[in-house]
């Protein structure tokens, strides 16, 4: 994701945005070895090499975190109601954001990154990455409803479907494991509530093949891009 050159220079701490513009006009800024004087120039902070006079700006590094999200956190970078966010759980100086959303009280797999392209790829509906959830509902799931959930239900005129649905424990019909490729807001809850069930507890067990992998709620680990690629189901 490209950003304006003066913004990038300012974020690197070398000069204010306004000063950075002066430097650009004065021909003191190089991108990949070439002087640029055009104020509207954009750079890719992860790829381009920028010099201001003879100071080389630090290129941004892409970072990835795998969090087991606890209850009571919103998946956003800030909140107008001052609720805690999943970003608050991660100790980093990088400007990271959550990849997709989980509800305030949903637990489980949550990825955070500063890599916008990766985030778009993994969340884009056309890429069909699977989300697996463990769902506790308020009453036994009837067989006829199980069939409806697997054949599809219209939510806001768009059909939603679970591609798999199984009971987690023998002889218990209130805890089910569902799989979907949907990223719509409150999707799982809306699927169940459309048939009269209330979701009492929701955990995302895996996303694109990535699971919480022994992390307790609130714990996270750093992944490299290679780790992510290896974990991801293609
Ligand atoms: N579906 C929901 O209803 N909530 C979530 O947090 C995730 C999927």
């Amino acid at each position: 994701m490209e950003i304006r050159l003066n913004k990038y220079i300012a974020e690197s701490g070398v000069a204010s945005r306004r000063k950075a513009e002066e430097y650009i006009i004065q021909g003191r800024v190089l991108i990949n070895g070439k002087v640029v004087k055009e104020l509207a120039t954009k750079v890719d902070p992860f790829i381009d090499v920028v010099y201001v006079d003879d100071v080389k700006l630090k290129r941004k590094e892409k970072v990835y975190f795998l969090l087991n999200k606890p209850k009571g956190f919103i998946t956003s970078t800030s909140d107008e109601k001052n609720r805690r966010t999943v970003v608050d759980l991660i100790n980093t100086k990088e400007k990271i954001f959550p990849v997709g959303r989980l509800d305030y009280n949903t637990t489980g797999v949550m990825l955070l990154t500063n890599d916008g392209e990766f985030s778009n790829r993994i969340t884009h509906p056309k890429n069909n990455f699977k989300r697996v959830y463990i769902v506790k509902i308020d009453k036994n799931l009837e067989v006829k409803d199980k069939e409806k959930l697997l054949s599809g239900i219209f939510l806001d005129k768009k059909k939603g479907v679970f591609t798999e649905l199984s009971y987690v424990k023998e002889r218990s019909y209130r805890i089910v494991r569902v799989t979907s490729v949907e990223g719509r807001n409150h999707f799982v809850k809306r699927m169940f509530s459309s048939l009269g069930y209330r979701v009492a507890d929701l955990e995302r067990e895996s996303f694109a093949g990535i699971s919480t992998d022994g992390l307790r709620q609130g714990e996270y680990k750093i992944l490299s891009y290679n780790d992510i690629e290896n974990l991801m189901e293609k």
Side-chain angles (χ1 to χ4, degrees), residues 8-173:
Y8 176 59
I9 295 172
E11 280 180 4
S12 308
V14 172
S16 66
R17 282 198 203 189
R18 172 128 9 131
K19 266 274 172 247
E21 290 194 337
E22 282 175 28
Y23 294 164
I24 296 167
I25 292 165
Q26 290 163 0
R28 292 166 61 183
V29 178
L30 275 81
I31 303 179
N32 305 325
K34 286 202 189 103
V35 174
V36 284
K37 291 188 172 178
E38 185 51 59
L39 286 180
T41 306
K42 289 191 164 181
V43 286
D44 187 323
F46 297 105
I47 295 174
D48 293 317
V49 179
V50 178
Y51 274 86
V52 177
D53 294 332
D54 47 11
V55 178
K56 184 177 177 184
L57 307 193
K58 208 165 168 278
R59 263 191 292 188
K60 273 205 197 168
E61 280 188 34
K62 294 183 181 173
V63 290
Y64 307 87
F65 297 91
L66 168 61
L67 167 73
N68 185 348
K69 180 189 173 298
K71 289 185 180 193
F73 287 81
I74 58 161
T75 50
S76 141
T77 47
S78 64
D79 183 45
E80 74 277 5
K81 291 191 214 148
N82 256 337
R83 286 172 300 178
R84 294 175 299 178
T85 78
V86 284
V87 175
D88 297 336
L89 291 165
I90 312 276
N91 186 8
T92 179
K93 289 201 178 80
E94 302 296 332
K95 274 194 189 164
I96 55 167
F97 53 85
V99 175
R101 287 187 183 202
L102 288 179
D103 293 337
Y104 187 67
N105 277 337
T106 300
T107 59
V109 174
M110 182 86 240
L111 295 167
L112 298 104
T113 184
N114 57 359
D115 181 350
E117 269 168 45
F118 166 74
S119 174
N120 290 342
R121 175 159 72 99
I122 196 167
T123 54
H124 199 291
K126 83 169 192 313
N127 293 330
N128 287 334
F129 283 113
K130 282 186 194 165
R131 285 100 162 138
V132 181
Y133 297 93
I134 307 289
V135 195
K136 263 193 209 151
I137 45 180
D138 59 341
K139 55 189 177 198
N140 289 345
L141 180 65
E142 291 184 30
V143 173
K144 69 170 181 10
D145 291 332
K146 176 179 172 184
E147 278 157 15
K148 282 185 196 161
L149 292 165
L150 284 166
S151 57
I153 291 171
F154 280 88
L155 303 173
D156 293 337
K157 299 196 183 122
K158 188 171 174 269
K159 198 169 178 178
V161 65
F162 292 136
T163 51
E164 289 164 52
L165 191 161
S166 58
Y167 297 103
V168 173
K169 289 188 193 154
E170 258 180 66
R171 287 188 294 279
S172 163
Y173 304 100

Side-chain angles (χ1 to χ4, degrees), residues 101-107 133 182 184-190 199 202 204:
R101 287 187 183 202
L102 288 179
D103 293 337
Y104 187 67
N105 277 337
T106 300
T107 59
Y133 297 93
E182 278 263 8
R184 279 190 275 172
N185 272 353
H186 316 303
F187 178 71
V188 174
K189 289 179 187 158
R190 287 166 65 205
V199 170
L202 187 58
R204 184 158 63 183

